[in-house]
Amino acid sequence: MRGHSVTSLLTRFFVVCTLFLGLLLVPGGGTLAQSQTGTDSSSHSSQDIKSARKEIDSANTELQDYRNKDEAALNDDLRLLNLQQSLEDIATSMEQIYNDLQPRLESLKARETELGEPPGEGAPEEPQSLKDERAKLAADRAQVNTEIGEVQTVADQARKLVEEVAALRRTLFRQTLLGRSDLSKENFDAVGTALNKEVSELLTRISSWFSFTWSFERRAFLSALSLTLLFGLLFVYGEYRLFSRFAQHDRNEINPSAFSKHTFAFWSTLLPTVGLAIFCSLATFFLNNFNVLRGDIAQLLTSFFQFVVVLFFICRLAGTVLAPLHPHWRLVNVSDRGARTLWWLIAAMTFVNAFDYLAGSVSDVLQSPVILTLARSLVAAVIIGVILVVLSRIRPMRTEEGDRGAWPRSISIPLFVLGVALIVMPFFGYVGLARFVATQVIVLGALVVTMYLGFLSARAVSEPEDFKSSALGRMLTNRFGLGPIAVEQIGLLCGLLIYAFVILFGVPIIFLVWGYHIRDIQGWVADSFSQITIGSVTISLSGILVGLLVFAIGYFISRWFQRWLDENVMRRSRMEDGLRNSVRTGVGYLGIALAAIIGLSVAGLNLSNVALVAGALSVGIGFGLQNIVNNFVSGLILLVERPFKVGDWVVTSSTQGYVRHISVRATEIETFQRQSVIVPNSEFINTPVGNWTHRNRLGRSEIAVGVSYDSDPRRVIALLEEIAATNDLVLRNPAPFVVFTGFGDSSLDFELRCYLSDVLSGLSVATDLRTKIFERFKEEGIEIPFPQRDVNIKMLQSPDNVEAEAAKARLQAEASKESAPEPQLPPNRVDPDE
């Protein structure tokens, strides 16, 4: 009953999978749903097209400001960015409407093809219902074609405007960097007055906001601060619990490993910076949601938080890399004094640059004169340039001669050139370019160093020995009992995750530092996930990723079902191992095939194109894949016919041993020397194969023995049969017997033949029987002879001795002839000589 239930279950499973596969491969499946969806979406397409036309007209009106060279519009890159994004959204929506209308048009064409051409002249008229349907199809098709044409027109207009806005933004960026500022004396005379006015206005706004908030919105203000502190502490605690093992090291350790230094530098910089940024974001979020902040105060607070985060990040990074107080943890070869000097110079440059941007944000909020921003940027660029020149001239390196080694020329010369350029450029009017270069030197340099530390940390984590000796590796080993291989694999996975984290977060920040906006990056990501049409094939990165995800899920589900079926169904039904292996392998391949088909469908690949792939594969099979396909088909035959199974003892033309694994391409055989031999499946089909355990493990063992010619053959036969009966592994039925095989050169030859319940134990049984035969024959005085041969040795002589011996022999013969009497002949006989 168990075998019948298992067979029924497997049969139902294969039937359901086959039906599901057939539904996936049926072309045109779901046409009715598509037609209904197309009918529903068509009612909204006209309204969407009208709304898109209105938005494009509004965009044209907004662009007119730029065409008229409006000064305020020309300097507003964010406004241009928002306009560009709205136009891109219009183009995307038009593409979606086009994709929705296309299936409906195809279904209308298919229905017209089914109806065929109208009857010609002289032919019988078709029914009125067909005429009405044909007219309705023609009208619907004309309407859909009209809508598709309008959609394409609107999309083309939107793309054209997007290109125009992008060109304006590039022009604005070039003017900002390469435009020369007016630094005349008349303009600089108003800097002092403008600065005093700005400071006074700033203090007035902050004091008035705080007074109003404390007097009328004190509860909301305190609630926002309390929630900020609460959630900030919760986040810091969670961050500490999750990542503290990466950032916790004994800084008093004298000889830390490279793994410890790199991971500590990366995580002790990243984690506190992220924590501070989250805290600042929470403060802004809660103050805004409690309606505590005014618009101008919100902008000022955001700029201040950015100033704090950037300053903390770079100073923290410099402290972990230079380690002024912990020389053994230093990542660069500088002296203690040089490390302290470098840290202060880097902190000074960062403060000047960040304060310049903070002051610029204040000027934007307060709408201060442009000359004030230019003056501040000029001073900041000159100060940073002077610091770079000083930085290039100091002697911080640690050398063999002492602790005051100079920079290598590859470092000192670029620093000096950059410093001089930042000092000179503002006085020629290129204040914007100097400010941009100073920002890149400081912020971009810090980001690149951080990413480099992240890569070093990922590489260190991926090293097996380093990760096992780390705190996380020891925790995985001690707490979870994982072995060395599992810990190494987890370390490799952690390294890959760190690589991905550094790239995914570092690259967008670099683009932001270069002057791009977050919406630019969002647009690039959206474009990368959009559909790309190549001929009749539409490729979408998002679709491919989702398809891969679906395939991975289907693969793991199939593996889980395969394991569940083997351990919970087939094992309980007492199936033999060979049948279990065949069913398990078949279910695994079927599950992978289903997962692949579903993944391809989700990825957007038309399954009807599989015919093209099959055609290409047939050509490949004809030229170079014959052996592979031969082995594949042979593997399927072996899994179905099952001439041998896992655990069988097989003998082929090239090897023999136990079958360990059967796949669709090859079979793994383990020899008696524990060597794994991979045998192509075609060898089992095309050549004879011996299987010692095909139907059962019953087998016969033969033991040859020889006794001397003085022994009694009947006594020997009786003793051998008696000895065979003493072994428990020898079957009683059929009973063992002895064969007198022949008369040897020096022995009487016998052969003991006994049947075993397990042929795999034949070697141990033969060894035991031979030992008992030797002992019993020795007790009975029966000799087991060894081969005997008579050897005649003939000495070789020299030629002279040979001639002397021959002459001596002739003389002896003649002497004996003379002394011998003449023979007497019988009567009537004649001497032949006569």
Side-chain angles (χ1 to χ4, degrees):
M1 293 297 292
R2 286 182 178 176
H4 178 72
S5 62
V6 173
T7 306
S8 177
L9 176 63
L10 294 176
T11 304
R12 292 178 183 177
F13 172 75
F14 284 115
V15 169
V16 170
C17 293
T18 305
L19 290 176
F20 181 67
L21 180 61
L23 289 176
L24 285 176
L25 295 176
V26 170
T31 304
L32 179 61
Q34 290 178 357
S35 177
Q36 183 66 31
T37 304
T39 303
D40 295 338
S41 62
S42 178
S43 60
H44 300 284
S45 60
S46 299
Q47 297 179 0
D48 294 337
I49 294 172
K50 292 179 181 179
S51 176
R53 285 189 179 276
K54 291 181 180 179
E55 293 182 12
I56 287 180
D57 293 338
S58 175
N60 271 320
T61 303
E62 191 168 356
L63 278 178
Q64 192 63 36
D65 295 340
Y66 300 94
R67 297 189 183 100
N68 294 334
K69 305 299 182 184
D70 181 70
E71 185 68 23
L74 282 174
N75 294 325
D76 196 349
D77 182 65
L78 183 59
R79 183 179 172 186
L80 282 173
L81 176 63
N82 293 330
L83 180 60
Q84 180 180 352
Q85 189 64 44
S86 63
L87 291 171
E88 290 175 352
D89 293 340
I90 293 174
T92 303
S93 63
M94 292 299 102
E95 291 177 0
Q96 183 63 41
I97 294 174
Y98 177 82
N99 294 331
D100 294 339
L101 291 175
Q102 200 65 31
R104 188 184 175 208
L105 181 62
E106 296 297 331
S107 64
L108 293 174
K109 290 180 180 180
R111 181 55 183 163
E112 288 180 345
T113 304
E114 292 176 1
L115 293 179
E117 297 293 334
E121 296 181 1
E125 293 187 1
E126 59 184 359
Q128 185 64 35
S129 59
L130 290 180
K131 290 182 180 181
D132 295 340
E133 185 178 1
R134 196 184 302 278
K136 187 176 184 304
L137 288 174
D140 291 344
R141 183 177 177 183
Q143 181 183 358
V144 172
N145 284 327
T146 302
E147 292 178 353
I148 289 177
E150 293 179 355
V151 165
Q152 291 177 340
T153 302
V154 173
D156 291 340
Q157 292 178 354
R159 294 190 188 97
K160 183 178 179 181
L161 291 177
V162 166
E163 293 176 359
E164 186 176 352
V165 173
L168 288 172
R169 290 189 63 201
R170 288 192 295 268
T171 303
L172 178 59
F173 182 74
R174 285 195 301 268
Q175 290 179 353
T176 303
L177 290 184
L178 303 179
R180 298 186 61 181
S181 304
D182 186 8
L183 302 178
S184 60
K185 183 178 182 302
E186 293 78 9
N187 291 330
F188 272 94
D189 291 340
V191 170
T193 304
L195 179 61
N196 293 330
K197 183 179 180 181
E198 182 182 85
V199 173
S200 176
E201 179 70 17
L202 177 62
L203 295 176
T204 301
R205 291 198 182 193
I206 294 176
S207 61
S208 63
W209 166 78
F210 185 77
S211 299
F212 177 82
T213 302
W214 190 256
S215 301
F216 301 99
E217 297 180 356
R218 182 185 306 174
R219 181 175 299 177
F221 179 72
L222 295 177
S223 299
L225 292 181
S226 301
L227 288 176
T228 300
L229 292 174
L230 176 62
F231 282 94
L233 291 175
L234 288 176
F235 177 81
V236 171
Y237 176 75
E239 184 184 46
Y240 174 81
R241 294 285 297 175
L242 290 175
F243 302 104
S244 61
R245 61 180 60 93
F246 295 107
Q248 281 186 348
H249 292 278
D250 185 10
R251 300 300 300 276
N252 295 322
E253 185 178 352
I254 298 177
N255 190 22
S257 63
F259 170 82
S260 300
K261 291 194 289 186
H262 293 153
T263 54
F264 174 77
F266 178 68
W267 292 107
S268 63
T269 300
L270 181 65
L271 295 179
T273 304
V274 172
L276 180 61
I278 293 295
F279 179 82
C280 295
S281 301
L282 288 174
T284 306
F285 173 77
F286 285 117
L287 290 174
N288 276 324
N289 278 270
F290 279 89
N291 296 323
V292 176
L293 296 179
R294 292 199 314 251
D296 55 346
I297 300 299
Q299 295 181 25
L300 293 174
L301 186 63
T302 302
S303 300
F304 176 75
F305 283 157
Q306 293 174 355
F307 165 79
V308 172
V309 170
V310 170
L311 184 61
F312 175 82
F313 163 64
I314 297 180
C315 291
R316 180 76 177 182
L317 176 64
T320 55
V321 173
L322 298 172
L325 302 179
H326 304 280
H328 298 292
W329 289 81
R330 194 168 297 152
L331 298 181
V332 291
N333 186 26
V334 296
S335 62
D336 295 343
R337 180 179 179 182
R340 290 191 296 269
T341 304
L342 289 175
W343 188 90
W344 281 108
L345 291 176
I346 292 172
M349 283 195 303
T350 306
F351 178 82
V352 171
N353 185 261
F355 184 79
D356 177 38
Y357 273 87
L358 175 62
S361 301
V362 172
S363 298
D364 292 338
V365 172
L366 302 181
Q367 297 182 354
S368 301
V370 179
I371 188 61
L372 184 59
T373 303
L374 292 176
R376 271 196 300 257
S377 298
L378 186 148
V379 174
V382 171
I383 293 176
I384 294 174
V386 171
I387 294 176
L388 286 175
V389 172
V390 174
L391 191 61
S392 67
R393 306 307 297 172
I394 63 174
R395 305 173 66 86
M397 301 300 295
R398 176 180 292 170
T399 61
E400 296 179 356
E401 290 78 10
D403 291 344
R404 293 186 57 82
W407 288 112
R409 291 185 177 274
S410 59
I411 297 177
S412 62
I413 293 177
L415 289 177
F416 182 79
V417 172
L418 277 175
V420 173
L422 289 178
I423 295 172
V424 172
M425 280 191 296
F427 293 101
F428 285 91
Y430 296 104
V431 179
L433 181 60
R435 187 185 187 191
F436 180 80
V437 171
T439 303
Q440 303 309 307
V441 170
I442 298 172
V443 182
L444 184 61
L447 287 174
V448 170
V449 171
T450 305
M451 293 180 65
Y452 181 67
L453 288 177
F455 291 144
L456 292 178
S457 176
R459 187 173 67 180
V461 169
S462 301
E463 293 294 332
E465 298 300 329
D466 290 340
F467 184 74
K468 284 192 296 185
S469 61
S470 65
L472 180 59
R474 291 194 300 269
M475 184 195 71
L476 293 174
T477 302
N478 299 330
R479 181 177 298 181
F480 299 100
L482 298 180
I485 297 178
V487 173
E488 291 177 7
Q489 293 175 347
I490 294 176
L492 179 61
L493 178 61
C494 292
L496 294 176
L497 292 177
I498 294 174
Y499 276 121
F501 174 80
V502 172
I503 293 174
L504 291 177
F505 285 89
V507 173
I509 295 177
I510 289 176
F511 281 111
L512 292 176
V513 174
W514 282 347
Y516 293 96
H517 290 274
I518 189 64
R519 299 203 66 177
D520 291 325
I521 301 175
Q522 292 174 350
W524 297 338
V525 175
D527 291 340
S528 63
F529 280 86
S530 62
Q531 294 181 347
I532 302 173
T533 302
I534 303 176
S536 60
V537 180
T538 300
I539 300 175
S540 173
L541 180 58
S542 59
I544 293 174
L545 294 178
V546 174
L548 291 176
L549 179 62
V550 171
F551 172 76
I553 294 174
Y555 175 81
F556 285 112
I557 290 176
S558 65
R559 289 301 185 190
W560 170 83
F561 180 79
Q562 185 183 17
R563 193 181 308 110
W564 176 85
L565 184 67
D566 180 49
E567 296 178 356
N568 295 278
V569 178
M570 294 188 291
R571 184 174 61 85
R572 296 181 181 179
S573 62
R574 303 297 190 271
M575 276 188 176
E576 59 181 6
D577 294 338
L579 180 58
R580 286 174 59 183
N581 179 72
S582 299
V583 174
R584 182 173 62 248
T585 304
V587 170
Y589 283 115
L590 181 60
I592 293 175
L594 288 174
I597 292 173
I598 297 173
L600 291 174
S601 301
V602 173
L605 181 64
N606 189 0
L607 294 179
S608 62
N609 295 329
V610 175
L612 299 176
V613 180
L617 286 178
S618 63
V619 176
I621 292 170
F623 282 101
L625 301 179
Q626 292 181 358
N627 292 333
I628 295 177
V629 174
N630 186 14
N631 292 325
F632 180 81
V633 176
S634 300
L636 296 178
I637 294 174
L638 292 178
L639 290 174
V640 174
E641 291 187 354
R642 299 177 59 248
F644 54 82
K645 56 187 180 295
V646 174
D648 282 357
W649 175 10
V650 297
V651 180
T652 67
S653 59
S654 59
T655 186
Q656 66 172 328
Y658 301 110
V659 177
R660 293 307 183 195
H661 181 69
I662 305 173
S663 64
V664 294
R665 191 198 67 83
T667 298
E668 178 186 350
I669 295 179
E670 183 181 350
T671 65
F672 301 117
Q673 291 81 19
R674 294 296 187 267
Q675 179 189 24
S676 295
V677 180
I678 309 302
V679 182
N681 288 329
S682 58
E683 183 174 339
F684 295 99
I685 299 298
N686 300 327
T687 60
V689 178
N691 189 350
W692 284 91
T693 56
H694 180 45
R695 293 184 177 88
N696 50 52
R697 292 181 178 270
L698 182 64
R700 193 179 76 179
S701 178
E702 296 89 8
I703 300 175
V705 62
V707 298
S708 66
Y709 276 86
D710 298 333
S711 303
D712 183 5
R714 299 185 184 278
R715 178 59 178 166
V716 171
I717 292 174
L719 287 176
L720 290 176
E721 291 178 348
E722 181 182 346
I723 292 171
T726 60
N727 193 291
D728 296 334
L729 298 178
V730 176
L731 295 178
R732 303 297 181 265
N733 186 20
F737 62 95
V738 180
V739 177
F740 191 169
T741 59
F743 298 93
D745 294 337
S746 57
S747 64
L748 302 176
D749 297 330
F750 297 86
E751 189 173 76
L752 173 61
R753 298 178 179 179
C754 53
Y755 292 90
L756 309 177
S757 59
D758 188 358
V759 71
L760 301 180
S761 62
L763 189 62
S764 61
V765 172
T767 301
D768 179 69
L769 292 178
R770 288 190 180 98
T771 304
K772 290 181 178 180
I773 289 171
F774 178 80
E775 294 173 351
R776 186 65 181 275
F777 280 14
K778 189 175 183 180
E779 293 176 359
E780 297 290 335
I782 299 175
E783 180 185 1
I784 301 177
F786 52 86
Q788 297 180 2
R789 296 288 185 271
D790 292 335
V791 181
N792 296 320
I793 302 175
K794 184 177 181 181
M795 300 297 295
L796 296 178
Q797 299 178 353
S798 64
D800 296 337
N801 293 333
V802 171
E803 292 179 357
E805 291 292 336
K808 183 178 181 180
R810 285 195 300 270
L811 291 176
Q812 291 177 354
E814 292 176 355
S816 61
K817 184 176 181 181
E818 292 177 356
S819 61
E822 295 183 359
Q824 297 294 323
L825 297 175
N828 303 327
R829 293 295 298 271
V830 180
D831 189 355
D833 296 335
E834 296 178 357

